[in-house]
Amino acid sequence: MNFVDAIRLTEILLGFAFILQSIEHLKSFTNERYLFLPRLLLALLLIIGFHTTWVVLLLFLLSLTILYHFQGPYNGGSDRMGLLILCCLCLVHLAPSVYWQEIAFGYLAIQLVLSYFISGWVKIVNPEWRSGQALKDVFQFSAYPVSESLRGWAKSPQILFYVSWAVILFELIFPFALFSSTALAIALGIAALFHFSNACFFGLNRFFWVWISAYPALLWFQLRFFTPG
Amino acid sequence: MLHTLKLLLPAIVPSWRFFDFIAPSPRIQFALLNGADDTAQKWHEFRPRPAHISFKQMLARMLWNPHWNESLFLVSCAERLIAFPTRHSEDEILKRIMADLKYHSLATSVTTATHLQFRLLMIKRQGSALQHSVNYHSRIQPLSGQALK
């Protein structure tokens, strides 16, 4: 994927993620509608590619207002990733040369890799994750399982032990996928499935759409820096 | 401005420490009261999760999940209240309980309540058992007549 296409695809995917988020607030309180209706319109403009530099800048300013309104991210990590992508897109559009544009977009790709690797690292150094207890706790008493029936998974410690290790190992070896475009495509497919399962089990649908918005940056980064010739 | 930049910084330089340890988990419970000096007799769990959700519903929630995402925001507010209590977090929770009371049938059966209070029940694992403790009580908030109609 070339640089221009990767940026364009990131804009389209992020615009779609922002539209889904914004629509959810349109039936909410009046002051939220005032924040999210403009965001919905700007996200549409981002998708069609209308004056993109101004649109990403306005989206960034609006995101700061939303951050202030909720005194932090509305949905934790997914909002933060959305802001990170938006910041990088702003820098790409404002950068004075292709060199600085690549640095801004490359930063997004590196952060995407770190989002998996560091998540794996903090788990493997924790004995409760290594024993499967942490994942059991998530199902047993955390606020995340979307239904009471899912809490039943806490009674299958053997399965949760293997799932914990599968997640930890996948997150830790993710950076090695950069050495092959095929491996990266497979790794991103598995990662998307991981986010999809988190969306199903824990209702984290916003993570799915925002994280895949950053994938084009990594596909470009791999071709740019890890593919010979 | 400085405060907003402080909120922005974790997005620009993220820590990516998702689920590094499983912290005590908050549940929001509310009580309807008959006056500003009334004492809560019965606590209701706010937005109890359904017994079961089908795969079809899960797929639909990939695109449309406002209720759950709002509940996740309220979990964040509850965690913030435990870590560093602010009026903002308390207001956000009270506002949404009142909105739910307005729209759900629970409100129609309660005609005498004039005030509302919520508390935060924290659940954590102690050894092999789950431990429940009440860690926070909100202020007692008057319910406007409209909120219950």
Side-chain angles (χ1 to χ4, degrees):
Chain A
M1 185 176 293
N2 70 43
F3 189 53
V4 174
D5 288 348
I7 291 168
R8 191 71 203 100
L9 189 54
T10 302
E11 289 165 357
I12 291 168
L13 290 170
L14 187 68
F16 181 71
F18 281 176
I19 285 173
L20 290 182
Q21 292 176 8
S22 303
I23 288 173
E24 288 191 348
H25 290 272
L26 294 186
K27 288 184 82 176
S28 188
F29 301 98
T30 310
N31 53 359
E32 284 183 33
R33 282 203 294 272
Y34 288 145
L35 290 170
F36 285 93
L37 187 59
R39 195 179 204 224
L40 174 65
L41 298 174
L42 287 167
L44 279 169
L45 294 177
L46 184 64
I47 288 176
I48 63 173
F50 181 81
H51 289 286
T52 310
T53 304
W54 286 106
V55 167
V56 289
L57 272 174
L58 287 172
L59 272 171
F60 178 68
L61 291 174
L62 193 53
S63 295
L64 288 185
T65 313
I66 292 168
L67 199 61
Y68 180 77
H69 175 80
F70 292 115
Q71 289 294 294
Y74 183 75
N75 271 170
S78 61
D79 277 16
R80 285 189 175 139
M81 184 54 139
L83 254 172
L84 175 66
I85 300 171
L86 203 48
C87 279
C88 292
L89 286 176
C90 282
L91 292 172
V92 165
H93 284 282
L94 294 173
S97 65
V98 175
Y99 173 78
W100 288 106
Q101 284 182 325
E102 287 193 339
I103 285 181
F105 208 48
Y107 180 74
L108 175 59
I110 290 167
Q111 285 298 338
L112 181 62
V113 174
L114 289 176
S115 74
Y116 293 115
F117 180 75
I118 295 177
S119 297
W121 180 256
V122 296
K123 289 184 184 82
I124 203 167
V125 297
N126 182 341
E128 297 208 326
W129 267 103
R130 293 199 301 270
S131 68
Q133 180 65 51
L135 194 53
K136 187 183 166 196
D137 288 349
V138 170
F139 278 99
Q140 191 175 20
F141 69 85
S142 83
Y144 292 101
V146 294
S147 68
E148 286 299 331
S149 60
L150 283 177
R151 294 213 183 274
W153 281 93
K155 292 172 188 160
S156 308
Q158 194 76 13
I159 294 172
L160 296 181
F161 172 80
Y162 291 121
V163 172
S164 298
W165 273 102
V167 170
I168 291 169
L169 291 177
F170 171 73
E171 289 180 330
L172 285 175
I173 63 171
F174 185 86
F176 293 101
L178 283 170
F179 292 104
S180 152
S181 55
T182 308
L184 181 62
I186 293 169
L188 289 178
I190 295 171
L193 273 176
F194 169 67
H195 292 299
F196 177 75
S197 61
N198 284 339
C200 290
F201 292 147
F202 306 132
L204 303 173
N205 64 315
R206 291 188 177 199
F207 277 77
F208 175 83
W209 297 109
V210 168
W211 246 259
I212 63 169
S213 305
Y215 287 3
L218 195 54
L219 290 168
W220 159 77
F221 187 79
Q222 197 275 334
L223 274 176
R224 174 73 176 80
F225 296 104
F226 288 85
T227 304
Chain B
M1 188 65 190
L2 193 68
H3 178 60
T4 308
L5 289 175
K6 214 170 132 185
L7 295 174
L8 174 67
L9 197 62
I12 311 284
V13 189
S15 72
W16 302 129
R17 301 174 69 88
F18 295 123
F19 292 99
D20 50 349
F21 72 100
I22 309 305
S25 179
R27 300 286 187 277
I28 299 169
Q29 298 181 324
F30 69 93
L32 292 165
L33 309 174
N34 293 318
D37 52 358
D38 192 12
T39 307
Q41 300 295 324
K42 190 176 178 187
W43 293 96
H44 307 271
E45 184 169 352
F46 183 53
R47 295 187 180 177
R49 52 182 47 68
H52 179 74
I53 284 186
S54 68
F55 185 62
K56 200 174 153 188
Q57 284 173 299
M58 288 175 179
L59 284 182
R61 285 177 173 206
M62 288 299 294
L63 297 171
W64 177 250
N65 200 14
H67 198 65
W68 184 259
N69 283 322
E70 189 179 58
S71 297
L72 291 179
F73 169 60
L74 294 180
V75 170
S76 300
C77 289
E79 287 168 347
R80 289 181 208 165
L81 274 178
I82 297 296
F84 44 92
T86 64
R87 173 92 182 197
H88 176 273
S89 298
E90 192 171 281
D91 285 349
E92 288 289 336
I93 294 174
L94 282 169
K95 189 168 81 175
R96 282 165 169 82
I97 296 174
M98 287 170 77
D100 270 24
L101 286 173
K102 186 179 172 186
Y103 287 107
H104 287 86
S105 56
L106 177 63
T108 59
S109 63
V110 181
T111 52
T112 56
T114 56
H115 288 72
L116 167 73
Q117 187 180 29
F118 75 82
R119 69 179 187 180
L120 299 180
L121 182 75
M122 301 301 285
I123 305 175
K124 67 175 180 180
R125 185 174 48 78
Q126 194 76 41
S128 58
L130 291 186
Q131 195 178 65
H132 298 66
S133 59
V134 176
N135 285 28
Y136 185 86
H137 280 89
S138 76
R139 68 178 186 270
I140 293 176
Q141 171 74 20
L143 286 167
S144 67
Q146 276 191 326
L148 283 177
K149 282 176 184 166

